[in-house]
Amino acid sequence: MVAYAATPGDVEMALEERTVVLVEKKSSTERIWKLSVAFLILALCIGGTLLFAWYWSGRPEITMQSGKNEAQTKTDTSEKTDHHDSLRRIGSKAKAAIHLEGSYDEDGESNQLEWRNGQGQAFAQGGFKLENNKIVIPQSGLFFVYSQASFRVSCSDGDEERMGGVGPTPLSHRIWRYSDSIGSKVSLMSAVRSACQSTTQEDEYSSGQGWYNAVYLGAVFQLNKGDRLWTETNQLSELETDEGKTFFGVFAL
């Protein structure tokens, strides 16, 4: 049997070889790590480029949508906000509602303000009816009743006005109700305004161009099925019956 003994030279050689192997392993790991980082940076660059391209390709659509929203906002802002349009929009969403436009013919046989359905912005739904110039309530419950009469009064510009002697012209508008449970007509609402008042502020309006005013009525009432509502207005010849100026309506709450 042969015995082998390790010499100092062999030990040193083994250490050197082992050191070389360790260095080679460290170098290989570092190279792999560097390649991984490079691939990661490359992937991030490609992803960033694709994201940038997607963003700018979709931006015209976003801009167009934004411009559309701005235009819609301007349109909504420019809509009329008077009683007529506001109440018509609210009434159109109600289950039962009616909105009527007023008209008056000085040469006609009827000496009253006539209410029209189916013309202009007038409508009726949910069982409401217009019969004999009166609104018929379709069911019992709470209702918002409203009406407006617009006037243009021609004031005198003679000596009496310059002397401050022109008396005010009364403008009145009233809503009546008839209910079988009551057995007679009752006044739901009424209002009176004075036109042609001799004040300094009114001078520029009363000097031949006319004096403008609107009498508006509106409130909530408990009404019964079959109740009838109608209006009574004076100064009919001074009424403004252009669309949206004189109207009458009811909607359920």
Side-chain angles (χ1 to χ4, degrees), residues 57-184:
S57 63
R59 189 170 182 81
E61 182 179 355
I62 296 174
T63 304
M64 183 179 299
Q65 185 67 26
S66 176
K68 186 177 180 180
N69 291 340
E70 290 179 1
Q72 183 66 32
T73 301
K74 291 180 179 179
T75 301
D76 293 342
T77 303
S78 62
E79 288 183 354
K80 296 180 180 179
T81 57
D82 58 9
H83 291 300
H84 175 266
D85 287 343
S86 299
L87 291 169
R88 181 186 58 80
R89 287 195 296 269
I90 296 172
S92 64
K93 297 178 181 179
K95 294 181 180 180
I98 186 170
H99 182 84
L100 307 172
E101 297 281 355
S103 66
Y104 175 70
D105 184 6
E106 292 187 53
D107 300 327
E109 297 180 358
S110 176
N111 189 28
Q112 63 178 345
L113 175 58
E114 296 286 341
W115 297 111
R116 306 290 185 185
N117 186 19
Q119 71 176 36
Q121 301 184 74
F123 70 93
Q125 64 185 30
F128 273 104
K129 297 179 181 179
L130 176 64
E131 294 181 354
N132 298 322
N133 211 37
K134 300 176 182 178
I135 293 178
V136 182
I137 305 300
Q139 61 197 23
S140 299
L142 287 176
F143 296 86
F144 187 83
V145 183
Y146 62 93
S147 184
Q148 176 174 294
S150 298
F151 298 88
R152 179 184 178 183
V153 181
S154 299
C155 300
S156 171
D157 57 355
D159 293 337
E160 289 184 349
E161 180 183 359
R162 289 195 295 270
M163 296 295 293
V166 176
T169 300
L171 307 174
S172 67
H173 188 50
R174 183 188 300 268
I175 297 178
W176 291 96
R177 172 196 179 191
Y178 178 85
S179 178
D180 291 335
S181 60
I182 300 174
S184 62

Side-chain angles (χ1 to χ4, degrees), residues 26-44:
K26 183 178 180 181
S27 176
S28 176
T29 304
E30 183 178 357
R31 190 162 49 249
I32 293 173
W33 181 81
K34 288 182 178 180
L35 287 175
S36 299
V37 172
F39 279 120
L40 180 60
I41 294 174
L42 180 60
L44 289 175

